[in-house]
Amino acid sequence: MEQLVIRDADVVDGSGEPSYRADVVIDRGRIVSVVKEAAAAGCQRPRAVRELDAEGLVLSPGFIDMHAHSDLALLRDPDHSAKAAQGVTLEVVGQDGLSYAPVDDRTLEEVRRAITGWNGYGDDIDFGWRSVGEYLDRLDRGIAVNAAYLVPQGTVRALAVGWEDRAATPEELDRMRQLVAEGLEQGAVGMSSGLTYTPGMYAPDAELTELCRVVASYGGYYCPHHRSYGTGALEAYAEMVALTREAGCPLHLAHATMNFGVNAGRAPELLDLLDRALDAGADITLDTYPYTPGCTTLAALLPSWASAGGPQEILARLGDPATAERIRQDLEVSGADGCHGVPVEWETIEISGVADPALGAYVGRTVRETARLRGEAPWDTARRLLLADRLGTTVLQHVGHEENVRAIMRHRAHTGGSDGILQGAKPHPRAYGTFPRYLGHYVRELGVLTLEECVARLTSRPAARLRLPDRGLVREGYRADLVLFDPQTVAPGATFAEPRRLPTGIPYVFVDGRFVIEDGKRTDVLAGRSVRRTPV
């Protein structure tokens, strides 16, 4: 007898087609049958060892988070309710060009320092891997939800070239090609870049194009955090479209926002650019989170010249008064490339987390508010914090526009991604609330998307980008990564004031056919594993 039958569910199967009522039978981690309208037809209903009454609930494929920063959280926190409770059954990590494989001992230490604000330093992690394959093997010991990995181009450049702002030599470029190829051979699904983060931002287009050719040859995709989301955002999007067309590489645009005051109401211009490229044959998808503020590290706002050489060089420059004044001029007057070419508005920069608990008093206030309380200039406050926290500070940037968020999420290439940074005392609520916010706020309350459209964007469309032939749909033979939610009550619990509250209205989540969330509570099941690139 089969393992489980989910009875009388309203199935939104991920295809975008209208829902239907069905009994869905699961056995050995797979969907073995979908019996539509079984009760009404009067036919023999399927039986199983366990029966789950899903009356009033929607059954859909598990949600795929196309932009996650859980690289260490998956190992650190077996519970991982931040994602499991949302109905996420697969995360894509290795984002924004910086992660923890491939590395050597030197590069691993540098990367750990550089992205402490994203993932913590990792004192509680056994970094026993060095290659992409070894990292994926570590995930295969058992994690809360599944995870796919992107080869991080910035880490690759740090390993082959270093953190200097210079062109790669031919030998170094060959080494980078080799590292990307090895990562894809070992199971990575593509390559990411962080082109406002060092050292990835030092790569010229010609270098990126060569690496994208490698990615394309393995059937992967390129996922850039491109060179500007502020001044020059449209030019930065166009640059990535042209670069990947030349390389023959599929493109997935990370957190495809149009932020800062210069881009208010300009989402239609971006969407027109993408539509023209798609109509001409380009292979493009994108992801967004359903909130207006962004989230990054305070150090990421610095100009690229100030970040050359890596974390220790940054700290040295901040410690020198003359150099620090030059940094201030770039940030506040010229508009640093790390801040997307827009002069920083300190009233929009809220401290959300610190690496050093002794600095916790900074959390929850903007830099300008803290400076006022301290009786000093905002740059003095920011500089003090960067030095004291050794670049580990995380910030929210309140620079988005609701009309842009809604317009982009309606686009035919859209998928969902949380960009969820779990580090810090007050992380962005998108880390805990992205997927229920789509379903509750933008589907039920606002009607921006229909339920069927929204589920497709969170399931089958990302599965297609990842080239996963047996995920993202409720179909016989597909993996039983599923979520049951109440369409009338599903909502994020997380707010900016209480960002770690879990969502409501998602009582059951399955990974590999096993209960990860049961009756609204996290079980002790660790059914997640690495999801590796399907060979061409």
Side-chain angles (χ1 to χ4, degrees), residues 3-270:
Q3 170 189 352
L4 172 69
V5 58
I6 301 171
R7 198 172 298 291
D8 292 324
D10 291 322
V11 178
V12 178
D13 65 8
S15 68
E17 295 299 314
S19 65
Y20 55 85
R21 192 174 180 87
D23 292 351
V24 177
V25 183
I26 297 169
D27 192 43
R28 299 176 186 177
R30 298 273 177 176
I31 300 169
V32 296
S33 65
V34 179
V35 183
K36 296 183 179 181
E37 303 292 349
C43 61
Q44 180 66 40
R45 305 191 72 177
R47 303 294 298 276
V49 172
R50 178 170 179 182
E51 299 187 5
L52 178 62
D53 181 5
E55 182 72 37
L57 300 178
V58 167
L59 177 69
S60 81
F63 305 134
I64 299 176
D65 188 342
M66 286 296 287
H67 193 102
H69 287 283
S70 303
D71 309 48
L72 298 186
L74 284 162
L75 305 179
R76 174 186 294 122
D77 176 21
D79 181 81
H80 203 46
S81 288
K83 294 302 179 66
Q86 293 185 61
V88 171
T89 59
L90 171 59
E91 299 183 275
V92 185
V93 297
Q95 298 285 353
D96 293 334
L98 288 168
S99 190
Y100 306 94
V103 292
D104 57 15
D105 291 350
R106 170 190 61 83
T107 307
L108 176 60
E109 174 61 22
E110 292 167 343
V111 169
R112 289 175 68 182
R113 291 290 180 194
I115 55 175
T116 293
W118 294 356
N119 299 309
Y121 179 65
D123 287 324
D124 50 349
I125 301 294
D126 176 12
F127 289 92
W129 66 84
R130 292 296 179 268
S131 71
V132 170
E134 290 168 345
Y135 174 71
L136 297 178
D137 289 343
R138 175 65 182 84
L139 298 180
D140 284 341
R141 296 182 195 174
I143 49 180
V145 303
N146 299 305
Y149 189 75
L150 295 165
V151 178
Q153 171 259 329
T155 301
V156 166
R157 198 172 210 271
L159 183 54
V161 180
W163 296 73
E164 293 77 31
D165 183 2
R166 65 172 177 83
T169 67
E171 293 77 18
E172 289 167 341
L173 181 55
D174 284 343
R175 176 64 173 144
M176 285 189 280
R177 287 194 193 98
Q178 178 187 2
L179 290 166
V180 171
E182 289 173 353
L184 290 158
E185 288 169 358
Q186 293 163 11
V189 295
M191 181 180 76
S192 74
S193 283
L195 300 180
T196 65
Y197 302 130
T198 57
M201 68 192 310
Y202 300 138
D205 283 2
E207 179 182 309
L208 296 172
T209 300
E210 288 303 307
L211 298 182
C212 282
R213 293 188 200 279
V214 176
V215 174
S217 72
Y218 283 91
Y221 68 93
Y222 181 43
C223 179
H225 164 129
H226 52 269
R227 298 191 194 274
S228 176
Y229 290 83
T231 301
L234 287 173
E235 291 81 1
Y237 281 113
E239 175 190 7
M240 295 297 102
V241 170
L243 185 156
T244 49
R245 285 299 299 271
E246 181 178 347
C249 184
L251 173 64
H252 181 84
L253 294 164
H255 38 57
T257 58
M258 290 289 286
N259 285 341
F260 302 94
V262 295
N263 290 318
R266 298 189 70 190
E269 297 175 62
L270 166 62

